[in-house]
Amino acid sequence: MSNNLLQTPIEYLKGVGPNRGELLRKELGIHKYQDLINLFPNRYIDRTRYYKINELQNNNAEVQIIGKIINIKTVEQKRGKRLVATFVDDTGQIELVWFQGHKWIRESLKLNVVIVIFGKCTSFNGLFNMAHPEIELLSEHEQSLRSAMQPVYPSTETLTNRGISNRAINKMMQQLFLETQALFSETLPDYLVNELKLIPKNVALFNIHFPKSADLLARAQFRLKFEELFFIQLQLITKNLIRKHKIKGHPFDKVGENFNNFFKNHLPFELTNAQKRVIKEIRNDMGSNAQMNRLLQGDVGSGKTIVALMSMLLALDNGFQACLMAPTEILANQHFKGLTELAENLDINIKILTGSTKIADRKIIHEELENGTLHILIGTHALLEDKVQFNNLGLAVIDEQHRFGVEQRSKLWKKNDIPPHILVMTATPIPRTLAMSLYGDLDISVIDELPPGRKPIQTVHRFDSNRLKVWKFIKDEIAKGRQIYIVYPLIQESEKMDYKDLMDGYESISRDFPLPEYAISIVHGKMKPADKDAEMERFSKGKTQIMVATTVIEVGVNIPNASVMIIESAERFGLSQLHQLRGRVGRGAEQSYCIMMTSHKLSNDSKIRMETMVRTNDGFEIAEVDLKLRGPGDLMGTQQSGVLNLQIADIVRDKDILQLARHHAMKILKDDAPMEKPEHQTLRKVFIELSKKKNIWNYIS
Ligand code: ADP
Ligand code: MG
């Protein structure tokens, strides 16, 4: 089939036209014939079953009924007009209701003609009604190309309101297959199709839209999922191969004075086996002459900081500078303090640069950076300013990567001819399945072991009505010398409300925990950095017992004496955020607690989140649940990726197919990386096409 036909703008399809074309473009991103073919159904429903009105149950299921409309009226209401039609069959009557689009609906409805309606039925005051039903004349209904599994396409409210129903999309799809004859060319090599017993591309596309049988539908889904994941893997692996072979890095072949001195004489504790293994991996990586691009994953409190320091010492030993970027000023300060302490017996120059660094200090930093006397620079986004010029940056450590955009990272990278090694540290556990599809080839180190002697944090879920008991518990803990965090949600869309909640909360806490017995700190994003730091300082020095805060303290803050984390309106936080917040406690020797406060009204998802947090402390398990609840697109910053904008496959549910796809992609590239062999000609073409269209976000580099 000619490719050109598939590139035809969608408005030229019979039955679409400019108006609908515009809607399809805006609402579903469908520009061309090709895009419509690739609009895959979300699910399928059984349209061979017809219900009688007296069989209806109030379970909100989708049903289809044969009958007719006997009258139509417009009902005025406080909240606007409704169009209501009475629909009958030989067993009873229901109401059909429209809230929008009255004019064209009214024009299209015919009284006393046999029709088939389809939609969700709900019962109200003993009468069933169906809102915005799909309607088809029985005669048309009988003729249309349909199968037992009726596809349900993704849609939007606007589309439905403007009359582009599921049935309309289905009709367009029929038209499309008529015009294109369903001759879509094969994209995978023949030998692969044979080996995996895949159905041909055109058969798969036909059956995904018009399944002839459950079996063919399953095979069509398998084939298309495989194809989607396979091409993503091809792209990811190719990128990694290029990086490994072509991007030179500084070979850190020496292990010198700084590293050895620190390791032999100044380690404050024995490293865990996981830390040792990870340091070795990093050493090996930086020792070769390719650039390192490594993700260091470790749950909160697993001890990533010392790994970062030792990696930076290696850079210094080889005559290079190193830097560490943190997402917030609080965190940068904390790293600065922590690293300065760890390195106090070493002869190295460590400085910090943030938005609030004074001009005079800045000048010194710029100078020392350029003449090479500054060894390690710690800071925030400020490190990305043009004025910041390293003499020879050998390693950039980035903490909590999801707060930095890709663009920002590459700014650092452009500053040298040979790029620095990159170590990205994250406490957001990325499930293996997802990591694999994000990174293709794995350059991931995992610290999967906590330092010894940690007591697991006890987590409970309490309702607001139990607040008195919770306050009593806090008072007891404070009496034992512990400190408490109380965190309020701050979500951008409702910022004003959230600040009100925070300040109201702060006031009532101040009343319940009065001076002079109790002192309270408060930290939120609208404060000046200097004030924030001062408050953090008071808390970390033990001058205040309670820290009221927004999620600014979510990442990295390390105050071992704080042993209770209270999360207010916990139902409004996502799982990974809850886990991050909980990670602020459990850092000292004492038993720590996390108390999630919610109202009684909880959605199902919120309930699952609460239960998961109470059940487990394992970040990876939590990430898996999170992924299932939210879908891959929402996990951390992956929305930006575009990688996970998958059309048909699902990283979690289809992880076996993902592995299969990955296996075959690797095999092909190992054997024929440029895809030059005759049997790979088509593959190469499709690959190039796809790469032009959808550039896989390379997560790290
Ligand atoms: P994170 O991985 O969350 O950044 P940190 O590096 O801040 O964790 O370490 C958390 C705490 O554990 C720190 O107080 C640190 O000193 C301590 N720590 C790290 N590694 C070890 C170890 N091997 N043994 C004992 N304590 C450790
Ligand atoms: Mg940390």
Side-chain angles (χ1 to χ4, degrees):
M1 121 126 243
S2 98
N3 256 339
N4 291 340
L5 191 47
L6 285 179
Q7 302 309 321
T8 313
I10 196 67
E11 59 257 42
Y12 293 119
L13 188 70
K14 201 173 147 213
V16 178
N19 290 341
R20 290 181 144 200
E22 179 70 18
L23 274 174
L24 288 173
R25 265 196 301 275
K26 268 207 186 128
E27 297 293 311
L28 295 175
I30 295 174
H31 298 258
K32 302 169 183 170
Y33 280 20
Q34 166 127 20
D35 302 326
L36 185 61
I37 292 174
N38 287 320
L39 178 75
F40 297 131
N42 288 330
R43 61 200 171 87
Y44 298 82
I45 35 188
D46 185 355
R47 296 284 299 252
T48 53
R49 163 102 209 249
Y50 298 90
Y51 283 78
K52 290 288 185 186
I53 289 174
N54 66 1
E55 291 176 312
L56 294 178
Q57 286 175 339
N58 190 19
N59 57 2
N60 203 31
E62 282 162 315
V63 293
Q64 65 183 345
I65 315 171
I66 302 174
K68 48 193 169 185
I69 291 173
I70 54 170
N71 84 63
I72 305 169
K73 60 180 183 238
T74 304
V75 180
E76 296 277 355
Q77 267 187 319
K78 261 191 240 148
R79 293 218 215 120
K81 282 188 217 162
R82 273 185 312 162
L83 186 65
V84 179
T86 309
F87 177 89
V88 300
D89 70 0
D90 49 7
T91 69
Q93 71 175 55
I94 67 171
E95 281 188 343
L96 311 182
V97 187
W98 290 267
F99 302 99
Q100 257 139 349
H102 295 175
K103 190 165 170 286
W104 70 262
I105 289 165
R106 202 164 190 147
E107 278 163 14
S108 66
L109 291 179
K110 293 199 180 71
L111 294 185
N112 298 311
V113 182
V114 184
I115 56 176
V116 181
I117 61 166
F118 175 79
K120 283 184 184 171
C121 262
T122 48
S123 157
F124 185 71
N125 285 341
L127 184 63
F128 278 97
N129 67 72
M130 189 184 280
H132 289 238
E134 277 180 28
I135 297 185
E136 204 172 13
L137 292 174
L138 182 62
S139 49
E140 270 178 23
H141 179 81
E142 281 166 342
Q143 277 169 14
S144 61
L145 176 59
R146 69 179 57 245
S147 61
M149 276 84 52
Q150 176 82 17
V152 180
Y153 290 97
S155 185
T156 67
E157 224 178 296
T158 313
L159 282 181
T160 321
N161 292 340
R162 303 275 295 270
I164 304 192
S165 61
N166 194 54
R167 191 170 62 95
I169 292 183
N170 201 274
K171 275 195 157 170
M172 291 176 201
M173 207 64 86
Q174 287 182 36
Q175 184 60 34
L176 185 68
F177 274 74
L178 278 177
E179 285 187 24
T180 58
Q181 316 288 334
L183 289 172
F184 309 114
S185 48
E186 188 51 68
T187 50
L188 297 171
D190 291 340
Y191 69 87
L192 198 57
V193 172
N194 292 334
E195 186 184 334
L196 298 174
K197 301 199 171 57
L198 300 175
I199 55 175
K201 173 95 176 188
N202 58 350
V203 179
L205 282 173
F206 186 83
N207 278 282
I208 208 79
H209 295 296
F210 310 100
K212 282 188 179 150
S213 69
D215 177 55
L216 270 170
L217 174 59
R219 296 187 64 189
Q221 286 171 324
F222 184 86
R223 145 88 215 207
L224 295 171
K225 285 175 178 180
F226 177 86
E227 176 176 340
E228 181 168 43
L229 295 169
F230 174 78
F231 278 105
I232 288 178
Q233 289 301 320
L234 271 190
Q235 227 178 353
L236 285 167
I237 298 167
T238 308
K239 271 212 157 168
N240 245 318
L241 286 176
I242 292 172
R243 193 177 54 146
K244 282 237 161 82
H245 288 130
K246 298 221 179 104
I247 302 187
K248 270 203 164 156
H250 306 290
F252 292 177
D253 38 26
K254 264 193 294 207
V255 177
E257 175 62 17
N258 287 312
F259 187 94
N260 283 329
N261 181 16
F262 182 75
F263 187 67
K264 288 193 189 121
N265 308 319
H266 304 296
L267 268 186
F269 35 66
E270 190 171 343
L271 296 175
T272 62
N273 286 327
Q275 284 169 324
K276 284 184 202 158
R277 172 172 39 80
V278 162
I279 290 170
K280 208 171 182 181
E281 285 166 0
I282 294 170
R283 248 171 71 176
N284 282 343
D285 235 14
M286 297 194 303
S288 79
N289 43 28
Q291 184 220 11
M292 173 175 82
N293 237 317
R294 185 169 283 275
L295 180 75
L296 174 59
Q297 280 194 51
D299 213 339
V300 282
S302 62
K304 294 183 291 294
T305 313
I306 198 156
V307 173
L309 175 66
M310 293 176 73
S311 310
M312 293 197 282
L313 293 181
L314 280 173
L316 308 196
D317 280 345
N318 287 276
F320 290 92
Q321 296 166 303
C323 72
L324 190 159
M325 277 207 297
T328 65
E329 203 154 330
I330 291 179
L331 208 54
N333 273 315
Q334 193 169 289
H335 272 306
F336 177 64
K337 257 188 241 155
L339 291 174
T340 315
E341 261 167 47
L342 280 172
E344 77 184 331
N345 296 310
L346 307 179
D347 186 21
I348 57 180
N349 182 4
I350 308 181
K351 288 217 160 82
I352 178 165
L353 178 70
T354 69
S356 38
T357 305
K358 299 210 177 67
I359 296 185
D361 295 337
R362 258 168 214 267
K363 250 189 94 191
I364 300 175
I365 290 173
H366 292 159
E367 270 169 33
E368 289 186 353
L369 264 189
E370 281 175 51
N371 67 27
T373 51
L374 182 54
H375 301 116
I376 295 179
L377 182 61
I378 294 164
T380 54
H381 290 79
L383 298 200
L384 302 172
E385 286 164 11
D386 291 332
K387 279 199 186 135
V388 179
Q389 293 290 341
F390 289 86
N391 180 0
N392 54 0
L393 181 63
L395 169 67
V397 182
I398 301 169
D399 196 13
E400 305 295 350
Q401 99 293 355
H402 52 288
R403 304 286 174 105
F404 279 112
V406 181
E407 295 256 304
Q408 293 174 314
R409 255 176 264 150
S410 62
K411 269 195 159 178
L412 258 184
W413 152 294
K414 272 182 212 135
K415 292 187 175 181
N416 286 49
D417 295 336
I418 295 186
H421 296 297
I422 306 261
L423 181 66
V424 177
M425 305 197 289
T426 178
T428 309
I430 302 168
R432 265 195 83 75
T433 42
L434 187 57
M436 226 164 68
S437 56
L438 273 176
Y439 305 112
D441 212 3
L442 304 175
D443 275 344
I444 297 185
S445 291
V446 183
I447 307 185
D448 49 7
E449 181 187 356
L450 293 180
R454 293 273 170 81
K455 295 195 181 93
I457 301 161
Q458 284 182 24
T459 304
V460 293
H461 170 208
R462 294 284 179 263
F463 293 108
D464 292 335
S465 47
N466 288 324
R467 185 171 299 278
L468 277 181
K469 276 197 187 151
V470 174
W471 271 193
K472 166 86 173 66
F473 176 76
I474 296 184
K475 288 186 174 164
D476 291 346
E477 287 297 302
I478 293 177
K480 288 188 218 158
R482 304 290 102 75
Q483 288 169 288
I484 320 288
Y485 293 106
I486 304 180
V487 175
Y488 285 81
L490 201 140
I491 299 169
Q492 247 143 31
E493 303 99 65
S494 52
E495 214 185 68
K496 271 205 183 119
M497 283 298 293
D498 286 338
Y499 272 107
K500 189 172 174 314
D501 288 353
L502 173 75
M503 295 325 280
D504 289 353
Y506 175 66
E507 268 173 33
S508 85
I509 292 164
S510 306
R511 248 178 278 125
D512 294 338
F513 298 86
L515 284 163
E517 199 178 352
Y518 302 101
I520 304 171
S521 287
I522 180 164
V523 168
H524 59 75
K526 289 205 168 153
M527 289 164 67
K528 291 206 190 90
D531 296 342
K532 257 194 270 183
D533 287 345
E535 285 290 286
M536 284 305 292
E537 185 81 14
R538 280 192 337 131
F539 187 65
S540 79
K541 291 225 166 108
K543 290 186 181 151
T544 57
Q545 295 92 10
I546 299 176
M547 160 67 75
V548 176
T550 57
T551 46
V552 287
I553 61 149
E554 178 186 332
V555 274
V557 171
N558 186 22
I559 296 171
N561 191 49
S563 62
V564 181
M565 166 63 65
I566 313 269
I567 305 173
E568 295 285 348
S569 305
E571 68 268 38
R572 294 182 53 198
F573 291 92
L575 262 179
S576 65
Q577 250 185 331
L578 290 171
H579 182 62
Q580 285 290 324
L581 285 171
R582 175 167 63 184
R584 296 311 104 219
V585 296
R587 305 188 145 239
E590 304 304 328
Q591 176 62 54
S592 290
Y593 305 89
C594 173
I595 304 176
M596 301 180 293
M597 307 289 300
T598 73
S599 67
H600 277 281
K601 266 198 226 146
L602 290 181
S603 69
N604 271 342
D605 280 9
S606 301
K607 275 185 204 148
I608 295 175
R609 289 200 293 267
M610 298 303 123
E611 283 159 16
T612 306
M613 287 294 293
V614 171
R615 184 183 73 238
T616 179
N617 274 306
D618 179 342
F620 280 89
E621 193 178 336
I622 289 169
E624 293 279 358
V625 176
D626 198 28
L627 195 56
K628 278 187 193 133
L629 286 182
R630 307 209 284 162
D634 292 338
L635 197 84
M636 338 168 307
T638 52
Q639 298 94 320
Q640 321 161 32
S641 74
V643 179
L644 298 174
N645 246 335
L646 297 178
Q647 268 163 328
I648 185 162
D650 175 308
I651 300 283
V652 179
R653 262 178 287 147
D654 301 320
K655 57 172 186 275
D656 294 345
I657 307 179
L658 171 63
Q659 248 139 34
L660 187 72
R662 183 172 165 71
H663 167 79
H664 285 284
M666 291 266 238
K667 207 162 110 184
I668 288 176
L669 290 177
K670 233 179 221 158
D671 169 54
D672 179 23
M675 296 178 251
E676 280 167 349
K677 291 190 173 174
E679 64 266 35
H680 293 150
Q681 287 308 309
T682 318
L683 196 63
R684 187 184 153 83
K685 246 175 45 202
V686 178
F687 178 78
I688 291 171
E689 260 323 282
L690 278 179
S691 306
K692 265 194 251 159
K693 230 173 64 184
K694 186 164 146 184
N695 198 11
I696 300 281
W697 175 34
N698 195 337
Y699 199 41
I700 300 183
S701 57

